[in-house]
Each structure stands twice: as structure tokens, then as C-alpha cells.
Amino acid sequence: MTTPDGARLELSGIVKRFGGVTALDGASFAARAGEIHGLCGENGAGKSTLLKVLAGVHPHSSYHGSVRLDGVELTMRSTTDARRAGVAIVHQELTLVPEMTVAENLLLGREPRRFGFIDDAAVEARARALCDRFVGQGSIDVRTAVGRLGIGVQQIVEIVRALQDEARVLVLDEPTAALTGSEAARLFEWLRRLRSAGTTCIYVSHRMDELFALCDRITVLRDGKTVGTVETAKVTGQDVVRLMVGREMAIGTHPSALSADAAAVLEVRSLSVDGAIEDVSLELHAGEVVGLAGAMGSGRTALLSTLFGCATTKVSGEVLLGGAAVQLSSPRAAIAAGMALVPEDRKARGLVLELSVAENLALPLPLADADEAESIAERRIAELRIRGRAGSAVATLSGGNQQKVVLGKWLHHPPRVLLLDEPTRGVDVGAREEIYGIITALCKKGVAVLMASSDLSEVQRLSHRILVLRRGRVIAELPAGASQDDIVAHSTGLPTSPACTP
Amino acid sequence: MHALESSVEHPAAAAAPAPSSAPAPSPSSARALAEILASRSLRMVAVLLALWTGLALHPDTRDAFLTAGNFSNLTAQISEIVIIGVGMTLVILIGGIDLSVGAGIALTGVVAAKLQIDHHLPAWVACLGALGVAGLIGLWHGLLVTRGRMPAFVATLGGFLAYRGLGLVLSDARGLSPMNADFQRLGARLPAGTSTGICLAAGLCGLALVVARQKRRRALGLEVDATIRIALTLFAIGAVTAFAAVIYQDGMPVPVLLESLAVALGAVLLRRTRLGRYAFAIGGNTEAARLSGVPVAATTIAIYALTGLLTAFAGIVAAARTNGVTPGNAGLMRELHVITAVVIGGTSLSGGRATIIGTVVGALVFGTLSNGMNLMNVNSNWQLIFTGAILVGASLLDSMTSKRRA
């Protein structure tokens, strides 16, 4: 089956150019049968391009170098070719069709036919068998439209679809980006099981803890080149980060102490939103970061949206800013009251991708003329170290720099309360540190920050206090030093020690 | 979500083979009924029936409206809209649009008329000529949208302007008539006996499909549909069959037969072929479709080409019914009528959601408004206002009910 050196999948000397831009410049790595092989690198290092080569999205003729599976050279011209060859890809963005059912999605492109027509009953029966086999008996109603399922379940449907071909190589691109801690833990358990069955798994992630928990070896990419493949057991996270960024990173740990008499800036009393949050009360002080932890759908995003005036259903309760009650009827009202929101999905809700960096930065400002907008933009670009010109389309920036633009929108008139929803999702290590720096600096100026994040190390790192949400309620308030185990235990409803429950 | 969490807790299930499951009992009738009542198409059927009731009771129309002859006319009048509507439903489903179909009716009518009148060719050659021209036009639109990466609106807006112009040039801007005898038959009626036979045969086909579906599901160990769903489906099939047999008692117009065939073809294509399934996938999430190995470009081209062919059918039917073509007027505003019918029928202009039956109901609503207003001698301007109100009302209902998903 395998070549003498034990490599199942071998990519060597891959060079891929888009016009004048070299995305891959001789990237290579080899993964063994029955191995979970990590792949990491900063945004723009070439991971996505490398995956697209593997997936057959970039046809064989469009790049240089070779891809070998069990010693046989693959010359894939399409995604179908890759699938037939035994390479299954689970993309970072879900590739399901929300309007179609689970069954239709699972068998998309391979519908069983009878007398030349799609056999719907067979589609359903096969989908049900797949879910029974991979997820558990009767676990998913395959007749439900995918759009009605939670993101965690959608991710599982996505992986089941990839697995159905008895893939020899399973490629996962940031599979936990939208999963809760417990969902991720189950996924890992499942991947280890696949590994013992001989499947090779390529695991792409930004998260060091995941890479170290799961992978046998890790290959690091930088600027389109492979900088090294390391045995996980023999190195530390620091070593890998150093390979990724090519320099030492100072990793701070805890937020600085608050002055004891900091005034309450935001008070929320018994806030409820139909179908989303129930009876939430909290208090936020000047210069304080309060972390919101909890599973997907626990109400983190709903709480932030409601505070920013975006609730779509009935709201009750009271919100006070600086002691005065405010009506949060629209984002416009929220902004006027001194709030700012950095939303979860920056491309859909944070930025107008077609507009320039300067135009995006000027969006919340009242009618700044073009020259004024540009001078403000220049200041922001220097201050936040945004790597991009004022005039360039914001879509051309990397994720981290786009996120800095979203933050920068609110800095001309610094808000009293900054609402952050997943502030560093899809942001590389270097830019992440810079964003943390910006948040910390704002706090020092007295801005109060309410931050929702599914990255627990981020919550630990920045928060003075941590509120854990479950099913729309605040079920625990933890101090700055709380462990990840503690947070997870509360958010899943399985407290480790009775003393922790409120 | 919670249901799933509990099940994923047992990864051991992954290794175990799926035990053979006995057919589960059918879901509760109450739930099935709720699902049926929430159906978008059914709501428009209710609107349609309300319109019909109103026209049947109104003193100005009660004598003329509820007659076999009037319904036979009504269904023939909307044949162009329904035939093209089948293609337009697919086009809109994949997030596209085709503004050229009205002009296409004029052009294909002129081509068919020229071939038989000026060149004395038989009717079938004239039809093939029209179909060939329109097929190529559809292919061209598909290529512009895929290979040319052009927005469908612009690509077909070009056709909207050009094809009527081409029709006027070919005909020297003159009306062409009369058509030859064979061709005129496409606008005539079938014998009464044949009509009744067709209605009954269609009803039996529907019945057979319902039975076959239940048998197939049982064979594969799946639960059969809820009794109430089966009962209502059979009732609907019976009611439509009986209604058709009555209104076509004096013979079914051939345009109605052609429109019914187009509907059957469209429904099968949409629900029972890969082309249809791919269209749903492309409309719902193009990138996901592409990454799932769906041939996006080929599917898109095929759908525009099909719409071209159906436009030719509509052009032929229009020319046969009126026994001639006036290229300046034929199919004027038809593209907007078709889009109106499709949207009233519940197909989403943002792609991903469509039913053929909805389009048929949408066309019937459209046709009923124009038929009823004509019977009332209402100024046709009011017709525009009413149609506009129903279109906006139906869309508003959609956006209100789908708000939760946003």
C-alpha cells in the first residue's frame, strides 16, 4: 500500500502563482498512514492554497510540483477527481446548501437513481444509514433542512459527507472554528478512532492547544514555503509559534488589575429577548473586560446584538448607560448612546467589502468629506498598524488587518462600551497579539469591554471577570483566574465541583 | 442541537453496523397537517380560490365566469406564461433572470411564420426552425452568464432589446398571417373524447405515483407518509382531474395540452433529476455546489437553453392561437408577466427555493385577474394595480414568514 518510507500522502515542491502573486513557493510535506498531521501557518502563509491543490480546486495543470497518494502521482483536474482518488476535504466554510435537507446534502452530486430518475426514498435511506453509522442511531432527522440545524450539527453533517467515500485522506480545515468545547472534544475522539482505522488526517488549525492535543506531527508553512515538520511530542507551542512567525512572540497572560473604585458604565437589568436570552443582568465598569463564554447558541451573540439595538424579537428589561436608562431600539440609537459593536462575521456585518479602507473607517462618521476621511484613515492605519493603503479595497486585506479596520471604525469617537463578538476569529497569531494590545489600550483609557469568544484562552487572557451563558441565561460568574475546565464545565451544564454553581 | 449532543456522546456507535430498523410508524397526523397548512403553494391556492369565489358571486361576472368555456379560455390564455414559467422557475432558482423571453416570443413567431408563409415549408419544419433559433439564443445566454461572467440581468436585457428588433427586421415590421392549416391546429381544440381520456389518464398517473412512492419507502424501511397527507394528495388529484374533465368537456385547447406537458416535464426535472437537484444546490449555495462536484456551468447553460426552447414553444402557441404574428406586439411585457407568476408562486428571487406547481398557481392568479377584469369591463389599468398588489402582498408574506431564519 505505502511507499517504503511510509508516506501515504506526499506533496513536494508545490509552486502556485496567481498572476504576479506567488501563493506557494515550493511547499512540501508528507503524511503517514494512520497519522493526524497538523498544518499551520499565519494567514497568507499558503495553507488554503495548498488545501485547494489537494482538493482538486486548482487543477493539476495550474501548479508545479507533485502530489502522490500511496506512491501514485495524482493529476486531479477537479474536485470530483480528488474525491475519487480518496481525498476528502472538509472546508472551513460550511459547504452545505441551507435550503436542502440533510439527506439531499449528504448525497449531493451522487444521488441514487432508478429508471433514470432520482430515487428520493433511496436518498433518504442511504443518508439515514450514514448518520446512524457515523453519528449514532436516529441522531439526525435527515429530512430537516440543513439551514434549520445549529452550526455544530451542520459541521457534523459536513464531515459525515466527507467520510462516506471511505476516504484514505481526510483533510479538515479549522473544523472547530464554530464548535463548542464539548463538541470539539467529541470530534477529536472521533478523529483518533479514524486514525486507528488507518485514515490519514490532515488537520489545519490556528489553535496550538488543538494541534498539540491531536496531532502526531505538525508541518509549519510560512510565505508559501515549508519551514519545518516537527514531532509534536518533542517540541513546545512556543517552538511552533516561532517557526510560524519567524520571530519571538511575547505572550502576556493576565489582564492588569482594575482600580477598585471604577464606576459602573453599563448596567443591564433582567434583560430578556424572546427565543434568545432570559433574565440577564450584568454590570460593566470603566476599563473592565468582561468575557462572555458559552456554547454556540447560548445567547452570547444575541446578548451583544440586543445591546446594540439589533434584536428582532420582543425585548424586555432595562439597560442603563452611565446611570441613565437608554432605549436600544436601533444601532443608530446604540451608537448615539456610546456603544460600538465589532460583530462576529466581519465580512458580512463588519465591513463593506467593495469599499476602500478609508471609506470603511469613515462609515460611522457623520458625512466626513473625502479628504477628511482620508486623513482620519491615515491616522488610524498608523495607530493600529493596519497593513494596507487607505485607498485599497478592504477585501484585499488579510483577516487580521480587516479586523483592525472594523475596530478602527469606532476609534474616532471612542465608545463608552465596546461590544466584541469573536474579535480574533480567523486572525493569525501576529495580528491577534496586536488586537489584544488595542483592546488593552482602550481599557486603559476607560472603555468598558464586553467580549464574547469561543476561544477560551482568549477569554482567560483578557477578561477581568467571565460570565458563562447557557440557554440564554447567565449561569455563572467566574473570576479572572478561572481555568478552562471550569468554564467548559459550566457552559455544558456539568459542573466539576458543586461549589462552583451559583 | 440538544438531541444531537446527546447522541454524539456515544462515538462507539460509529463502529457498530447500522442495525436493520423496522419501518417506523407514520408521523402524527397533526404534525403532517401543520406542515401542509404551512405550505406556500397551498396559501396561494387559497388566494386563487378566494378570487374565483369572489368572481363567481359578483353580480357582474357570476353568469359568465363560472362556465366551462370561460375556464377553458382562461387556462389557454395563460399557456404562454406557464410554458415559459417552467423555464423561468429554474432560471430564478439558480439566482438568474431571463428578460428576453417576451422578445423571444416575437422572434420565434416571426421565424415560424416566415418559414411557412414566405418559404412554404411544412408546419413541423417551421416549428423546428423556431425551436432551433430559440435553443441557440438560450445557449448564448448560458454562455454569456457562465463563460462571459456576465450578470444574467444584463445578458438577457441585451436580448430583450435585440430580439424584437431582429423580429421586426426579418418581417419588415409587418404582421404575418395566415398560418398554414397544420400549424393552426396547434391553437385549436382536441376532440371531446380525447380530452376526457387525457384528463383521466393524467389522474391515474398521479394516483400511481402516490402508490409507488409509498411502496418504495416501505421497501427501503422508511416510514410511509402520514395518512392525512396521502388523503389530501389523492383528494387534490381527484378534484383537479374532475375539474379538468368538466371544463374541457367540449375539447381541450391544444395550448393547454402543451402547457400541461411543460408543467409535467418541469416538475419531474426539478424534483426527480440531477439537473433539478443541482439547480437547487446552485441557487442555495453556489460555492458549496461547486465544491460538491456539481457541474455549475453546464447546469446553468442547460437551464438557459431549456428556457430558450420553452420560449419557442410559447411563441409557436401564441402564433397558432392568433393565427399570425405582429412582431411589434407579440409577447410584449410577457417577461414581466412570467416573472410575476413565478414570484407569486413562491420562487425566491435570491435563489434556492422554487416549485413548479407554485408557478402554475401564480399564472392562474395572474390569468384570473385579467379574465375577471375583462368580464367586468374594468379598465385594464386597474388590472395592473391589482396584479401589482398581489405580487407585493405575496412577497411581503414571504419576507415576514422567513424573517426568523435571517
Side-chain angles (χ1 to χ4, degrees):
Chain A
M1 266 301 261
T2 52
T3 47
D5 61 351
R8 161 159 281 181
L9 178 72
E10 196 178 356
L11 281 79
S12 49
I14 309 286
V15 177
K16 168 78 190 169
R17 293 192 183 86
F18 296 100
V21 183
T22 305
L24 289 175
D25 189 12
S28 307
F29 78 93
R32 307 186 186 108
E35 177 187 31
I36 301 181
H37 193 104
L39 197 58
C40 67
E42 291 197 83
N43 282 351
K47 286 172 307 194
S48 316
T49 314
L50 196 60
L51 290 192
K52 283 182 178 162
V53 165
L54 253 180
V57 173
H58 298 314
H60 178 248
S61 53
S62 73
Y63 61 87
H64 299 286
S66 80
V67 179
R68 288 167 174 277
L69 184 60
D70 290 330
V72 180
E73 171 118 26
L74 298 181
T75 53
M76 301 173 292
R77 277 164 303 166
S78 68
T79 50
T80 318
D81 283 357
R83 203 166 71 189
R84 288 210 189 102
V87 180
I89 313 266
V90 176
H91 294 274
Q92 185 177 358
E93 278 94 28
L94 289 170
T95 63
L96 301 171
V97 184
E99 291 84 358
M100 289 170 60
T101 66
V102 171
E104 288 167 348
N105 268 291
L106 282 175
L107 292 160
L108 181 58
R110 62 182 91 195
E111 294 83 1
R113 281 177 296 182
R114 202 163 167 247
F115 315 123
F117 298 111
I118 291 178
D119 183 354
D120 254 355
V123 168
E124 196 180 321
R126 263 209 228 171
R128 198 175 285 189
L130 281 171
C131 288
D132 286 351
R133 173 175 166 209
F134 288 114
V135 194
Q137 192 75 37
S139 49
I140 299 177
D141 180 359
V142 298
R143 291 197 284 180
T144 314
V146 159
R148 291 174 179 271
L149 300 171
I151 302 287
V153 188
Q154 292 188 21
Q155 178 68 271
I156 285 165
V157 172
E158 181 94 42
I159 296 175
V160 169
R161 184 169 70 176
L163 285 172
Q164 66 182 308
D165 288 311
E166 315 299 332
R168 281 187 281 176
V169 176
L170 174 66
V171 183
L172 299 169
D173 188 4
E174 300 269 2
T176 59
L179 299 193
T180 63
S182 53
E183 281 172 330
R186 287 177 198 129
L187 178 66
F188 292 173
E189 184 56 44
W190 191 12
L191 293 178
R192 293 193 185 101
R193 193 177 299 279
L194 286 171
R195 167 171 63 187
S196 29
T199 303
T200 299
C201 183
I202 310 298
Y203 191 92
V204 182
S205 181
H206 276 115
R207 298 187 183 172
M208 284 303 135
D209 50 341
E210 289 183 359
L211 289 169
F212 275 83
L214 198 60
C215 299
D216 302 295
R217 292 189 299 165
I218 300 172
T219 292
V220 182
L221 292 177
R222 187 171 70 217
D223 301 328
K225 297 186 185 70
T226 303
V227 280
T229 297
V230 296
E231 300 271 344
T232 316
K234 294 181 184 160
V235 294
T236 64
Q238 276 288 348
D239 297 332
V240 174
V241 171
R242 200 179 305 128
L243 281 174
M244 280 168 67
V245 297
R247 60 179 189 273
E248 292 279 347
M249 296 290 306
I251 296 184
T253 44
H254 289 297
S256 53
L258 272 180
S259 60
D261 57 347
V265 177
L266 174 74
E267 285 169 78
V268 175
R269 293 180 191 159
S270 303
L271 187 69
S272 295
V273 177
D274 273 7
I277 53 182
E278 261 186 84
D279 195 22
V280 169
S281 297
L282 61 89
E283 211 168 90
L284 198 58
H285 302 94
E288 185 182 35
V289 179
V290 169
L292 290 175
M296 289 284 302
S298 62
R300 293 177 312 196
T301 297
L303 176 57
L304 295 183
S305 305
T306 305
L307 290 175
F308 201 59
C310 302
T312 50
T313 49
K314 197 169 153 282
V315 182
S316 65
E318 214 181 349
V319 177
L320 288 82
L321 263 171
V326 285
Q327 283 298 321
L328 301 170
S329 49
S330 69
R332 208 179 155 76
I335 294 166
M339 306 248 232
L341 172 71
V342 173
E344 186 178 14
D345 184 347
R346 65 175 161 269
K347 287 183 181 166
R349 304 184 66 197
L351 296 167
V352 183
L353 288 176
E354 290 79 9
L355 295 184
S356 69
V357 171
E359 286 164 323
N360 270 288
L361 284 168
L363 273 181
L365 304 179
L367 284 178
D369 69 61
D371 292 334
E372 196 186 340
E374 201 175 319
S375 87
I376 293 172
E378 293 297 352
R379 223 178 310 151
R380 221 51 77 212
I381 287 169
E383 184 182 67
L384 304 179
R385 296 204 286 156
I386 296 170
R387 277 173 282 279
R389 286 174 305 108
S392 45
V394 78
T396 62
L397 268 56
S398 74
N401 286 300
Q402 288 184 355
Q403 192 69 349
K404 288 190 226 165
V405 174
V406 181
L407 266 164
K409 276 165 62 177
W410 303 114
L411 299 187
H412 190 61
H413 303 293
R416 286 200 278 181
V417 176
L418 179 61
L419 308 169
L420 300 172
D421 199 355
E422 302 287 355
T424 63
R425 174 173 292 175
V427 166
D428 63 55
V429 178
R432 182 172 299 188
E433 285 304 319
E434 292 179 353
I435 288 172
Y436 292 165
I438 296 168
I439 296 171
T440 311
L442 285 169
C443 287
K444 291 224 172 85
K445 287 187 195 157
V447 176
V449 176
L450 192 57
M451 176 185 76
S453 176
S454 47
D455 181 346
L456 292 182
S457 47
E458 175 168 294
V459 172
Q460 286 182 308
R461 167 87 188 277
L462 294 175
S463 309
H464 296 97
R465 282 183 295 141
I466 300 163
L467 299 179
V468 184
L469 275 76
R470 177 153 48 96
R471 294 183 192 173
R473 289 174 175 276
V474 175
I475 49 133
E477 176 175 335
L478 306 171
S483 73
Q484 298 202 2
D485 293 354
D486 246 15
I487 303 174
V488 171
H490 280 98
S491 59
T492 53
L494 300 166
T496 44
S497 63
C500 292
T501 49
Chain B
M1 180 108 168
H2 298 295
L4 182 86
E5 275 175 4
S6 59
S7 58
V8 193
E9 264 162 25
H10 312 291
S20 62
S21 52
S26 61
S28 84
S29 296
R31 193 185 142 195
L33 191 64
E35 274 174 19
I36 293 166
L37 289 179
S39 139
R40 173 67 168 68
S41 305
L42 209 70
R43 253 183 260 152
M44 285 324 291
V45 169
V47 170
L48 181 65
L49 292 178
L51 276 176
W52 284 1
T53 312
L55 288 167
L57 296 177
H58 195 279
D60 291 352
T61 51
R62 68 180 158 215
D63 298 328
F65 181 74
L66 210 58
T67 61
N70 188 46
F71 270 99
S72 172
N73 272 341
L74 194 163
T75 49
Q77 280 159 1
I78 60 168
S79 56
E80 289 166 51
I81 295 179
V82 172
I83 290 171
I84 300 176
V86 167
M88 189 70 82
T89 304
L90 283 155
V91 167
I92 292 179
L93 170 60
I94 60 170
I97 195 82
D98 190 340
L99 297 176
S100 75
V101 295
I105 289 177
L107 177 60
T108 53
V110 167
V111 168
K114 288 278 284 184
L115 289 175
Q116 56 188 287
I117 296 170
D118 294 1
H119 300 277
H120 308 290
L121 291 164
W124 65 271
V125 178
C127 291
L128 276 186
L131 285 167
V133 168
L136 286 176
I137 284 176
L139 215 54
W140 167 243
H141 292 156
L143 287 170
L144 284 180
V145 170
T146 53
R147 302 273 179 269
R149 292 160 193 238
M150 203 182 272
F153 192 98
V154 176
T156 59
L157 185 62
F160 167 87
L161 300 166
Y163 306 148
R164 186 173 301 279
L166 192 57
L168 287 162
V169 168
L170 286 176
S171 63
D172 291 328
R174 281 181 292 111
L176 301 169
S177 73
M179 301 306 202
N180 78 27
D182 283 343
F183 193 86
Q184 283 184 39
R185 258 179 228 149
L186 290 170
R189 284 167 186 270
L190 298 171
T194 315
S195 302
T196 312
I198 289 173
C199 292
L200 293 180
L204 286 175
C205 276
L207 185 70
L209 284 174
V210 172
V211 174
R213 175 181 154 87
Q214 305 313 324
K215 277 176 77 173
R216 180 73 183 147
R217 290 185 66 85
R218 195 163 296 172
L220 290 172
L222 302 170
E223 70 271 27
V224 296
D225 290 327
T227 320
I228 181 108
R229 178 179 283 272
I230 297 175
L232 285 174
T233 309
L234 291 180
F235 171 77
I237 291 171
V240 171
T241 306
F243 190 65
V246 170
I247 66 175
Y248 303 125
Q249 55 188 311
D250 296 330
M252 178 189 279
V254 177
V256 171
L257 179 66
L258 292 174
E259 102 186 67
S260 308
L261 290 175
V263 167
L265 171 90
V268 169
L269 211 57
L270 195 61
R271 285 282 159 201
R272 290 288 173 270
T273 66
R274 292 199 175 173
L275 183 82
R277 197 56 60 93
Y278 292 167
F280 275 105
I282 294 169
N285 184 345
T286 309
E287 190 57 16
R290 207 166 56 80
L291 292 171
S292 307
V294 168
V296 175
T299 305
T300 306
I301 293 171
I303 286 172
Y304 279 97
L306 175 75
T307 305
L309 289 175
L310 290 167
T311 304
F313 268 110
I316 290 165
V317 166
R321 284 185 57 213
T322 53
N323 191 21
V325 181
T326 45
N329 287 328
L332 204 61
M333 296 259 287
R334 269 292 182 257
E335 60 285 330
L336 299 184
H337 298 165
V338 172
I339 295 168
T340 304
V342 171
V343 172
I344 288 179
T347 296
S348 160
L349 269 181
S350 48
R353 197 156 48 82
T355 62
I356 294 290
I357 200 74
T359 297
V360 174
V361 175
L364 280 169
V365 168
F366 185 88
T368 301
L369 283 172
S370 92
N371 178 280
M373 305 271 174
N374 285 341
L375 291 178
M376 285 191 207
N377 287 321
V378 171
N379 178 332
S380 69
N381 301 337
W382 279 100
Q383 203 172 302
L384 293 173
I385 294 172
F386 271 101
T387 313
I390 289 209
L391 174 69
V392 171
S395 302
L396 197 63
L397 202 69
D398 281 349
S399 56
M400 305 280 271
T401 48
S402 65
K403 204 173 185 178
R404 271 183 308 127
R405 291 193 301 154

